[in-house]
Amino acid sequence: MNVRTRIIFLDEQGQKFFGEGPCRLLRGVAETGSLHAAAASMDMAYSKALRLLKHAEQTLGFPLTQRSTGGKHGGGSSLTPAGKEWLERYEAYRDACVQANRQLYREFYGEE
């Protein structure tokens, strides 16, 4: 038997706006400096990635990334300070929930 913990955040209408997908997307932006590259690494269309980020940013009320269009040196994306803090808090919260769930599972079922 396998137990999985999933952490998702819902907006006021009950619609998911943040979870593992957007988390991976932001982590990819942080690592590659590109929303396009982060989306491609997840086999996700750039338009979907942009839509996910915009929905999260609108719900949170602050930008998660800053994007620059192409040009002589090309475009790119990076996390804003608030985006970096949100990502770090989400990952820490998610990891703490996973640990707590493992402990509860052991208490209730005696195994992992």
Side-chain angles (χ1 to χ4, degrees), residues 33-99:
S34 166
L35 178 57
H36 189 273
S41 74
M42 296 172 63
D43 292 324
M44 179 185 295
Y46 175 79
S47 58
K48 180 177 180 178
L50 194 55
R51 231 180 6 261
L52 284 173
L53 281 183
K54 286 186 179 215
H55 182 218
E57 290 173 340
Q58 181 181 11
T59 302
L60 291 168
F62 57 84
L64 295 167
T65 62
Q66 49 193 19
R67 297 174 285 280
S68 61
T69 56
K72 183 177 179 182
H73 301 289
S77 295
S78 61
L79 300 183
T80 62
K84 183 177 181 193
E85 181 179 351
W86 170 262
L87 179 60
E88 289 171 355
R89 283 181 177 223
Y90 171 82
E91 290 174 329
Y93 177 69
R94 176 204 58 207
D95 294 348
C97 288
V98 167
Q99 285 299 107

Side-chain angles (χ1 to χ4, degrees), residues 21-36:
C23 173
R24 286 180 50 216
L25 191 60
L26 287 180
R27 183 57 57 205
V29 168
E31 291 170 0
T32 65
S34 166
L35 178 57
H36 189 273

